[in-house]
Amino acid sequence: MTLEIRPVRGIGAIAVGDDLVDQICAAAPWLADGDVLIVTSKIVSKSEGNLVEVPADGPEREAARADALATETARVVARRGPTTIVQTHHGFVMAAAGIDASNVDKTHLVLLPADSDASARRLRAGFQARGLNVAVVISDTMGRTWRNGLTDVALGAAGIAPFRDHRGETDPYGNELAITQMAVIDELSAAGELVKGKIDNVPVAVVRGYLGSGPDDDGPGAVPLLRDAASDMFSLGTAEARAAGLRDAAQLPEGTHADLPGLPTDPDAVRRALRTVADHLARGTTVTEAHPFSPNGATAALHLQTTATNPAALMRLGADTHRLRVALAAESVASVALPHDDGIRLDLSGAPA
Amino acid sequence: MTLEIRPVRGIGAIAVGDDLVDQICAAAPWLADGDVLIVTSKIVSKSEGNLVEVPADGPEREAARADALATETARVVARRGPTTIVQTHHGFVMAAAGIDASNVDKTHLVLLPADSDASARRLRAGFQARGLNVAVVISDTMGRTWRNGLTDVALGAAGIAPFRDHRGETDPYGNELAITQMAVIDELSAAGELVKGKIDNVPVAVVRGYLGSGPDDDGPGAVPLLRDAASDMFSLGTAEARAAGLRDAAQLPEGTHADLPGLPTDPDAVRRALRTVADHLARGTTVTEAHPFSPNGATAALHLQTTATNPAALMRLGADTHRLRVALAAESVASVALPHDDGIRLDLSGAPA
């Protein structure tokens, strides 16, 4: 397979209601069946009127921009300084919800297309109506974790499978392939970006040679590329997740024996927790371990006592107990606190995975 | 600019010590000045002998694999089930440190090249010695956050700038571009992957047309693509960062008035913290607010008291205080606890940004 990636030049400024298929066909009369068109999302949004009006400058502009961001945001993923990374209602995780103020006049912001897969299908149908069987990928520029610089990825697609699936294939050595799914519409978007400029009106690139012939149907679009927050190991920024951990600690359930899972308590986990708090307990607090220990579903216990007996010392012992319970929770050890006149017993159990 | 992306077919199995430049030149006699070669890292590692020997199966194989992972790991970024994402000593964040068991016999694992930029420079020098002025990108397949499917990115480069920089450019509307740096060597790697197979021995792709002529020098390689953990908003997995937040809570400094920053305390932040703990305080605990309040550097205060006076109630009040201090910390409010016979006063201050 040899690919050719061509820019489509001569597409002018796009206004609301413009027929993109007309414009692209006029600029690229050489389009052929099986071509994959990589269309910058911005011209799709502009033609569909997915813009918001904003003041050209001043604090009102910033306020309008913040409003637009709030409207487009399903949840905030991370914030640092002026950067806000959110998951949009479409499911994309992007800085500023993909709202863009470039390549548009100063009184408008461009939003992402409302439904990029639907837009891709509409465009593909438009080309089909002109006798052209092509695939359409709607692309945008995104940042990513761990690596500097931006790349283009797919927001929507029609007429092309989002993945190339290697599951079940074996290599020449007989190993089954660990790599399963290549996100080819993201790679096509990246390839297309290489021939597009950011400011010289090349909003469309054509990849020729990737699809052997014209696609059979619209396919599932780009939605399969979206990983939901629950299955993402990086669903929150580190600082946000750390703050969530603090709130977890503030809300650590008091617990009762009925809640203790009754699973084996890992002595190493308990010792790690004790080391975590060692330098933070009040002077006079002592902790003794009881392993094994098994009444009431607890499989281990800790006894906290203080040498002093005044109210302040007892309150400090209570705070120390909460420190220790939180450190145990960080090690996946569940606990129940039993304050009594001589101190506090913590009954422990391993937590379900 | 029109690009052509060609696969290089006919490169056989690569063994330690093989001259990759020889092999590539033999398989692609059509190479020309200005071509960008996208070389799969695996054949670079194999030719350089960057392999480890492992048993073909059984628990010994798993142990050897775990050892190799530990050796390649600079820090663990996230773990879930069988997946471990680490930052390697090179600085890449990858599942299993990029160690791969595919396309190699069952008694070896392939590591990443020891220094991919140096490897790229060596290859480029080899082509130059044969009169060819090309650029070399060494690529590998990586997962990413938020999006399913894998894409190829650059591990090393020579003869090509890693970024195309748009800083300072203005669009036709006079807006300065917000998008600054496109990671073009990652996009070229992705483009190259489209014509490579995973199992049909196409380890090299050639991108023609991207560089106008032969590159002038080796350039900075791919290292500028690496974002260090300190400036990454996703330096840890969500679960790992949340556990770190629990440990932060366990180690929340006791604090003294000398440590209180003396900054204004946001009453809304205090109320959010109170709401966070409201359902988790012991029965009998009451909290009253004092705004403003300014002795000893504190700009607000909270008074915690309990209706009971027995030791267990006092210990519970201590635990409640720690809950509240942690909830305040999650809202960036610093606190000092002052237990006395009647209860506990928390002196508060805003925290530095």
Side-chain angles (χ1 to χ4, degrees):
Chain A
M1 183 199 304
T2 292
L3 302 185
E4 201 180 272
I5 308 179
R6 297 190 190 189
V8 176
R9 298 186 187 283
I11 296 175
I14 297 295
V16 179
D18 279 357
D19 186 326
L20 284 186
V21 175
D22 272 353
Q23 300 247 9
I24 294 169
C25 286
W30 40 265
L31 280 180
D33 285 358
D35 283 347
V36 182
L37 278 73
I38 315 296
V39 182
T40 302
S41 71
K42 182 158 302 163
I43 64 168
V44 176
S45 294
K46 286 168 106 176
S47 71
E48 293 176 351
N50 221 7
L51 308 164
V52 286
E53 218 175 320
V54 291
D57 48 35
E60 296 82 5
R61 179 182 174 84
E62 287 318 302
R65 216 173 155 139
D67 282 352
L69 175 55
T71 304
E72 294 294 294
T73 296
R75 68 182 187 93
V76 173
V77 171
R79 255 191 254 269
R80 191 182 285 190
T83 304
T84 305
I85 296 171
V86 308
Q87 187 157 29
T88 68
H89 296 294
H90 326 91
F92 303 116
V93 177
M94 291 177 81
I99 301 168
D100 199 347
S102 67
N103 285 297
V104 67
D105 71 84
K106 288 181 192 299
T107 62
H108 287 93
L109 300 175
V110 185
L111 307 179
L112 298 185
D115 180 343
S116 295
D117 280 339
S119 300
R121 287 192 297 269
R122 254 193 315 273
L123 290 173
R124 178 167 134 76
F127 288 106
Q128 275 178 313
R130 281 161 185 80
L132 276 169
N133 189 12
V134 298
V136 174
V137 175
I138 296 177
S139 70
D140 204 347
T141 303
M142 285 193 199
R144 61 261 173 91
T145 54
W146 314 325
R147 294 176 73 79
N148 294 314
L150 308 163
T151 64
D152 271 23
V153 298
L155 300 186
I160 184 165
F163 298 116
R164 192 172 62 224
D165 201 325
H166 295 282
R167 278 177 292 196
E169 295 179 20
T170 50
D171 68 21
Y173 300 88
N175 303 300
E176 202 166 310
L177 287 185
I179 287 166
T180 54
Q181 296 190 305
M182 296 304 300
V184 290
I185 58 173
D186 280 350
E187 295 192 318
L188 286 162
S189 298
E193 199 283 325
L194 291 166
V195 305
K196 293 179 189 170
K198 289 293 172 206
I199 54 171
D200 42 302
N201 293 320
V202 186
V204 180
V206 175
V207 180
R208 178 165 291 177
Y210 183 76
L211 295 178
S213 59
D216 296 331
D217 57 24
D218 284 335
V223 161
L225 291 181
L226 298 179
R227 189 183 294 146
D228 62 298
S231 48
D232 199 300
M233 293 162 79
F234 298 87
S235 58
L236 276 181
T238 301
E240 286 71 16
R242 221 162 159 148
L246 284 172
R247 284 191 295 272
D248 291 344
Q251 299 185 329
L252 185 71
E254 194 59 29
T256 67
H257 283 102
D259 307 324
L260 269 193
L263 298 169
T265 303
D266 175 4
D268 289 337
V270 174
R271 273 155 215 162
R272 282 195 299 272
L274 286 169
R275 274 199 300 277
T276 297
V277 297
D279 294 340
H280 299 272
L281 301 184
R283 215 169 2 185
T285 295
T286 59
V287 186
T288 51
E289 294 179 62
H291 279 282
F293 178 90
S294 57
N296 299 320
T299 56
L302 294 170
H303 294 272
L304 288 93
Q305 287 182 292
T306 177
T307 49
T309 54
N310 56 319
L314 295 171
M315 293 182 232
R316 286 205 174 91
L317 190 69
D320 285 344
T321 305
H322 194 252
R323 283 183 191 277
L324 186 48
R325 290 191 69 222
V326 166
L328 289 162
E331 301 288 346
S332 298
V333 175
S335 64
V336 174
L338 303 159
H340 49 90
D341 281 359
D342 288 347
I344 299 178
R345 193 177 86 207
L346 282 185
D347 283 359
L348 310 181
S349 155
Chain B
M1 184 201 303
T2 292
L3 302 184
E4 203 180 270
I5 308 180
R6 298 191 189 189
V8 176
R9 297 186 188 282
I11 296 175
I14 297 295
V16 179
D18 279 357
D19 186 327
L20 284 186
V21 175
D22 273 352
Q23 301 247 9
I24 294 170
C25 285
W30 40 264
L31 280 180
D33 286 357
D35 283 348
V36 182
L37 278 73
I38 315 295
V39 182
T40 303
S41 71
K42 183 157 301 162
I43 62 168
V44 176
S45 294
K46 286 169 106 174
S47 71
E48 294 177 351
N50 221 8
L51 308 164
V52 286
E53 220 175 317
V54 291
D57 48 35
E60 296 82 6
R61 180 182 173 85
E62 287 318 302
R65 216 173 155 139
D67 282 351
L69 176 55
T71 304
E72 294 294 294
T73 296
R75 67 182 189 93
V76 174
V77 171
R79 255 191 255 268
R80 190 182 286 190
T83 304
T84 305
I85 296 171
V86 307
Q87 187 158 28
T88 68
H89 296 294
H90 327 89
F92 303 115
V93 177
M94 292 177 80
I99 300 168
D100 199 346
S102 68
N103 285 295
V104 67
D105 71 85
K106 287 181 191 299
T107 62
H108 287 93
L109 301 174
V110 185
L111 308 179
L112 298 185
D115 180 342
S116 295
D117 280 339
S119 300
R121 287 193 298 269
R122 257 195 311 274
L123 290 173
R124 177 166 135 76
F127 288 107
Q128 274 179 314
R130 281 159 185 82
L132 276 170
N133 189 12
V134 298
V136 174
V137 174
I138 295 177
S139 70
D140 204 347
T141 302
M142 285 193 199
R144 60 265 171 90
T145 53
W146 314 324
R147 294 176 75 78
N148 294 315
L150 308 164
T151 64
D152 271 22
V153 298
L155 300 185
I160 185 165
F163 298 117
R164 193 172 60 227
D165 200 327
H166 295 281
R167 278 178 291 197
E169 295 178 19
T170 51
D171 69 20
Y173 300 88
N175 303 301
E176 202 166 310
L177 288 185
I179 287 167
T180 55
Q181 296 191 305
M182 296 305 299
V184 289
I185 59 173
D186 280 351
E187 295 191 319
L188 286 161
S189 298
E193 200 283 323
L194 291 165
V195 304
K196 293 179 190 171
K198 290 291 174 209
I199 54 168
D200 41 299
N201 292 320
V202 186
V204 179
V206 175
V207 181
R208 179 164 292 175
Y210 183 75
L211 294 177
S213 58
D216 295 331
D217 56 25
D218 284 334
V223 161
L225 291 181
L226 299 178
R227 189 183 294 146
D228 62 297
S231 46
D232 199 300
M233 292 162 79
F234 298 87
S235 59
L236 276 181
T238 301
E240 285 72 16
R242 218 158 163 155
L246 284 172
R247 284 191 295 272
D248 291 344
Q251 300 186 326
L252 185 69
E254 195 57 31
T256 66
H257 284 101
D259 307 324
L260 271 193
L263 298 169
T265 303
D266 175 6
D268 289 338
V270 173
R271 272 154 216 162
R272 282 195 299 271
L274 286 168
R275 275 200 299 277
T276 296
V277 297
D279 294 339
H280 298 273
L281 301 184
R283 212 165 9 180
T285 294
T286 58
V287 186
T288 50
E289 294 179 62
H291 279 283
F293 177 90
S294 56
N296 299 319
T299 56
L302 294 170
H303 293 272
L304 287 94
Q305 286 182 295
T306 177
T307 49
T309 54
N310 57 318
L314 294 171
M315 293 181 229
R316 285 204 175 90
L317 190 68
D320 286 343
T321 305
H322 194 251
R323 282 183 193 278
L324 187 47
R325 290 192 68 220
V326 166
L328 289 162
E331 299 289 347
S332 298
V333 175
S335 63
V336 174
L338 303 159
H340 49 90
D341 282 0
D342 288 349
I344 298 178
R345 193 177 87 207
L346 281 185
D347 284 0
L348 309 181
S349 155

